[in-house]
Amino acid sequence: MASWVPVAKDSDFTIYNLPFGVFQNKRLSPRVGMAIGDKIVDLSVLHEEGFFSELSHLPHDIFLRDALNDFIGLGKPVTRKVREIVQNLLKEENDQLREHTCRGKAMVNRNEAQMMLPVKVGDYTDFYSSMEHATNVGTMFRDPNNALLPNWKHLPVGYHGRASSIIPSGVPIYRPKGQFKDPNKEQPEFGPSRRLDFELEMAFITGGPTKMGDSISTEDAEDYIFGMVLFNDWSARDIQAWEYVPLGPFLGKSFASSISPWVVTLEALEPFRQAGPKQDPEVLPYLQCKKDHAFDIQLEVYIQPDGLKASKVCTSNFKYMYWNIAQQLAHHTVNGCNINVGDMMASGTISGPTEDSYGSMLELAWKGTKPVKLEEGGERKFIEDGDTVIMKGYAEKEGIRVGFGEVASKVLPAK
Amino acid sequence: MASWVPVAKDSDFTIYNLPFGVFQNKRLSPRVGMAIGDKIVDLSVLHEEGFFSELSHLPHDIFLRDALNDFIGLGKPVTRKVREIVQNLLKEENDQLREHTCRGKAMVNRNEAQMMLPVKVGDYTDFYSSMEHATNVGTMFRDPNNALLPNWKHLPVGYHGRASSIIPSGVPIYRPKGQFKDPNKEQPEFGPSRRLDFELEMAFITGGPTKMGDSISTEDAEDYIFGMVLFNDWSARDIQAWEYVPLGPFLGKSFASSISPWVVTLEALEPFRQAGPKQDPEVLPYLQCKKDHAFDIQLEVYIQPDGLKASKVCTSNFKYMYWNIAQQLAHHTVNGCNINVGDMMASGTISGPTEDSYGSMLELAWKGTKPVKLEEGGERKFIEDGDTVIMKGYAEKEGIRVGFGEVASKVLPAK
């Protein structure tokens, strides 16, 4: 399948992908678009011109919103159909849009657009679903022989995170201040975090809503998952270490989480579906799956010191996740917890089996004992002021490439 | 100060109180009102009739919303002025509203109104700020000689909670299902929770917003706190015990939290301000306070078995809190975490020093070892299907009474 829109060979935004996002530029107010090559298809223009006329109940201003929530809320049959219609219009052999007078207006340059947060996030949940990551952390901070806690293989451990501080790629963050305690000192101290870290994650965005008391089965779960983004779960390790007992991470996380702005749909990820790791012991019936829910998505993390070259510090893959997205959502709702359109559920740090596949500086530099060498800018135990952390993700198979673009955020000194 | 509206001697809704809420009834769409005696003042009517004309920038439909967020977002000088104007109008000696033709329309019967969630909750945070509660839990589950963890007296421990399942008084909840593990068994089990509990809490509702990277000092904190409600942090102890390491409470809490629908402003609570418990060791400078931020608010919990009489099982007081609301908000934002209008921050279980002042069944029945006798309906270790849990709160001093009404929710069997 080829498009009449030029798409570079290594572009994440092929005709097979067509992710949804919200953008604005100097002329245009916030609106919904789909990325292809170096262009954005302005869906509000296509709608105005009647290209979605077969979807008779599509509100006239559904694409002139500053978030995807209302669109996602129309349900999968509608959102899937919109993507299909656009995919058809972009095909090389289709000249309906290509030769249409609205073409100039409908195709916006991606490099002139400012990408916004794709959804208004209702609630944000962070899981802890990579066995390699949980094992690394357990080895470092507890007991190498019992690195995983007793519950870990029985349920996808997770916690509620802070939704207000989720920001799109490109927005810089401030180094957080907070309390931490040197184990060799009597009293805690206050100041800018000395152990600022990234966590390489992916997150899914939910449809819905469901009612309180209702649950979603693993079988139905993907009907409630619109798509996925890259997720940098910024973490201040020193703040986290001091605050987190007994109620979990709080200020060590809540200062910022950065996401990639283009939401890649599950439909686009379909060719990359595969079996996940074998789960042993067998999980309880409500967590068992009838089909595969893992996806083969290559992930990379780069650190770019201010004004210098970026160095790749991690290569991982989403397929390593022990708990899959269907299990996460089934578990999340098994107690009757209701979900809303636009909830975000992140995977937890995605570490692989090899040392270069660890998804955080904590693991890559092994608690500061093995500094990571950069091509330019020295070495790192944690993230320094002026560094930009860049995460990329893409799936590729038999000539089909579907990518996430990137999430890049620069760290500014504490305010 | 007396009102021309009849107010019973034991009414929570005196002219000194005038809490804000959102209501609807058979005739009226959702709107903002203030409670007095058995009436609700429909603020949309007063606005239409020009009673707020000195507030020239008040949007014409500000009281015809289904949540207080936009109103709170106007800022304290505006919300305070609205309350002052209404308080004046309701004074015995003032006949502006009393003799006005709109009086019949402006005064709605409270018993015919359905109260709604007062705000759309952006993010919800739960603290753990009662020393008595933290000590009781630490004694039961860890070490009686080191019941408090090392961080507890240095910072207000808290965690992010689930906002989607916060519901107003009167909405029943379903007993949650989930995983739990009997310590004497090899494998976890799945089923309806066997240890459903309440937690007696209060929560404050924030104004704002603040920007990411900014912090709120203890001195400024109350400028960002609109008011307070009663908060029942429903907890499934068996689910929580199995899931909570290492990332904190998740499904043991997220199935429901119930709140009282009337938001009592900080202005109304002013007469009940007092010093909190002395904090020793001294806290870090960013947590130090220049004035008192504790409030003397009597709290009660009742259990009412289906069709039977309610029994009081707990009498506590908000003044016991070791960490106050200004410290909680200062801590929450010290890392640069941004807040939005309508965020909700709950206190954590409010237990007092005596056995009858413990704010949860876990503590009152001491882990099931001392069942609590009810006047009707037997005894309780935890909450049973059909039980309604009722929390009440009020402050009283020198003839001034300011109350919260109640939060009451019935427990239905698991779905």
Side-chain angles (χ1 to χ4, degrees), chain A residues 271-305:
Chain A
F272 314 101
R273 186 186 291 278
Q274 65 169 55
K278 185 173 158 45
Q279 297 185 313
D280 180 26
E282 191 179 52
V283 297
L284 282 163
Y286 82 93
L287 289 169
Q288 291 170 12
C289 298
K290 292 192 179 145
K291 67 173 201 175
D292 295 336
H293 297 284
F295 295 92
D296 181 4
I297 302 167
Q298 282 288 321
L299 300 167
E300 299 169 346
V301 184
Y302 299 78
I303 296 175
Q304 181 170 26

Side-chain angles (χ1 to χ4, degrees), chain A residues 149 165 234 249 302 322 359 374 398:
Chain A
L149 287 165
S165 52
W234 292 103
Y302 299 78
Y322 189 84
L374 304 184
E398 295 165 12

Side-chain angles (χ1 to χ4, degrees), chain A residues 154 162 179 214 343 415, chain B residues 154 162 179 214 343 415:
Chain A
H154 293 284
R162 180 81 189 175
Q179 271 193 46
D214 285 351
D343 288 347
K415 246 190 184 177
Chain B
H154 293 284
R162 180 82 189 174
Q179 271 194 45
D214 286 350
D343 288 347
K415 246 189 183 177

Side-chain angles (χ1 to χ4, degrees), chain B residues 373-393:
Chain B
K373 283 204 170 48
L374 304 183
E375 293 182 53
E376 287 186 20
E379 57 181 34
R380 290 290 181 279
K381 293 178 180 175
F382 290 97
I383 301 301
E384 297 186 2
D385 290 347
D387 287 352
T388 297
V389 173
I390 305 157
M391 296 176 178
K392 301 183 183 186

Side-chain angles (χ1 to χ4, degrees), chain B residues 286-332:
Chain B
Y286 81 94
L287 290 169
Q288 291 171 11
C289 298
K290 292 192 179 148
K291 67 173 203 174
D292 295 336
H293 296 284
F295 295 93
D296 181 3
I297 302 167
Q298 282 288 320
L299 299 168
E300 299 168 346
V301 185
Y302 299 78
I303 297 175
Q304 180 170 29
D306 209 2
L308 300 176
K309 195 181 162 191
S311 298
K312 193 198 286 189
V313 297
C314 162
T315 306
S316 188
N317 196 302
F318 188 57
K319 71 183 177 189
Y320 296 135
M321 304 305 291
Y322 188 85
W323 295 101
N324 65 51
I325 56 176
Q327 292 176 316
Q328 288 168 342
L329 189 55
H331 183 64
H332 203 311

Side-chain angles (χ1 to χ4, degrees), chain A residues 122-125 127-128 142 149-151 154-165 167 173-174 176-179 187-190 211-215 242-252 254-256 281 284 286-287 331-332 334-340 343 345 415, chain B residues 122-125 127-128 142 149-151 154-165 167 173-174 176-179 187-190 211-215 242-252 254-256 281 284 286-287 331-332 334-340 343 345 415:
Chain A
D123 278 288
Y124 151 52
T125 298
F127 285 96
Y128 187 57
R142 284 183 300 268
L149 287 165
N151 58 13
H154 293 284
L155 55 82
V157 169
Y159 66 102
H160 306 292
R162 180 81 189 175
S164 72
S165 52
I167 49 175
I173 69 158
Y174 295 96
K177 290 177 289 187
Q179 271 193 46
Q187 296 296 323
E189 300 165 79
F190 176 80
K211 284 189 193 146
M212 276 180 69
D214 285 351
S215 306
W242 173 232
E243 74 175 357
Y244 93 106
V245 281
L247 300 181
F250 183 40
L251 301 193
S254 63
F255 58 94
L284 282 163
Y286 82 93
L287 289 169
H331 182 63
H332 203 312
V334 78
N335 69 341
C337 176
N338 56 320
I339 62 161
N340 286 312
D343 288 347
M345 301 192 185
K415 246 190 184 177
Chain B
D123 278 289
Y124 151 51
T125 298
F127 285 96
Y128 188 56
R142 285 184 298 269
L149 287 165
N151 59 12
H154 293 284
L155 54 84
V157 169
Y159 66 103
H160 306 292
R162 180 82 189 174
S164 73
S165 53
I167 49 175
I173 69 158
Y174 294 96
K177 291 178 287 187
Q179 271 194 45
Q187 295 296 322
E189 299 164 81
F190 176 80
K211 284 189 193 148
M212 274 180 70
D214 286 350
S215 305
W242 173 232
E243 74 175 357
Y244 93 106
V245 282
L247 300 180
F250 183 41
L251 301 192
S254 64
F255 57 95
L284 282 163
Y286 81 94
L287 290 169
H331 183 64
H332 203 311
V334 79
N335 69 341
C337 176
N338 56 321
I339 62 162
N340 286 311
D343 288 347
M345 303 194 184
K415 246 189 183 177

Side-chain angles (χ1 to χ4, degrees), chain A residues 31-269:
Chain A
R31 59 194 57 208
V32 175
M34 290 170 96
I36 181 157
D38 296 329
K39 297 287 182 182
I40 298 172
V41 185
D42 182 338
L43 295 184
S44 75
V45 174
L46 298 197
H47 193 18
E48 201 182 301
E49 296 291 340
F51 285 107
F52 301 124
S53 56
E54 60 184 290
L55 292 162
S56 51
H57 296 297
L58 210 58
H60 75 281
D61 60 347
I62 189 70
F63 299 119
L64 290 170
R65 311 269 167 103
D66 62 357
L68 291 170
N69 299 57
D70 295 337
F71 175 63
I72 295 172
L74 298 174
K76 279 241 179 176
V78 175
T79 59
R80 202 181 280 143
K81 190 73 199 167
V82 165
R83 188 169 162 276
E84 273 172 30
I85 290 170
V86 177
Q87 194 169 51
N88 262 318
L89 288 172
L90 294 173
K91 279 184 187 161
E92 196 158 34
E93 61 274 23
N94 188 327
D95 58 14
Q96 282 179 276
L97 175 59
R98 184 183 195 163
E99 305 296 339
H100 199 282
T101 51
C102 79
R103 174 178 161 178
K105 200 176 162 198
M107 306 301 289
V108 177
N109 289 331
R110 202 150 57 74
N111 63 5
E112 288 163 15
Q114 183 201 344
M115 296 307 298
M116 305 171 72
L117 213 55
V119 285
K120 287 198 199 306
V121 183
D123 278 288
Y124 151 52
T125 298
D126 195 24
F127 285 96
Y128 187 57
S129 290
S130 151
M131 186 164 76
E132 290 78 4
H133 171 67
T135 304
N136 286 340
V137 173
T139 300
M140 271 186 259
F141 293 101
R142 284 183 300 268
D143 174 5
N145 297 312
N146 289 291
L148 290 181
L149 287 165
N151 58 13
W152 200 90
K153 286 192 164 186
H154 293 284
L155 55 82
V157 169
Y159 66 102
H160 306 292
R162 180 81 189 175
S164 72
S165 52
I166 296 176
I167 49 175
S169 181
V171 176
I173 69 158
Y174 295 96
R175 177 176 297 270
K177 290 177 289 187
Q179 271 193 46
F180 36 83
K181 187 174 170 297
D182 184 326
N184 304 315
K185 292 188 182 166
E186 272 289 299
Q187 296 296 323
E189 300 165 79
F190 176 80
S193 168
R194 297 164 189 175
R195 296 189 173 185
L196 180 61
D197 202 353
F198 61 79
E199 291 195 336
L200 169 64
E201 307 196 8
M202 298 195 67
F204 64 81
I205 292 168
T206 61
T210 60
K211 284 189 193 146
M212 276 180 69
D214 285 351
S215 306
I216 300 173
S217 67
T218 56
E219 202 169 349
D220 293 342
E222 288 193 8
D223 293 341
Y224 290 87
I225 298 175
F226 176 71
M228 300 198 72
V229 293
L230 302 170
F231 194 100
N232 181 354
D233 178 24
W234 292 103
S235 299
R237 300 297 177 195
D238 41 4
I239 296 172
Q240 188 182 346
W242 173 232
E243 74 175 357
Y244 93 106
V245 281
L247 300 181
F250 183 40
L251 301 193
K253 301 277 192 177
S254 63
F255 58 94
S257 306
S258 303
I259 67 169
S260 58
W262 289 107
V263 186
V264 176
T265 62
L266 285 198
E267 289 76 23
L269 292 172

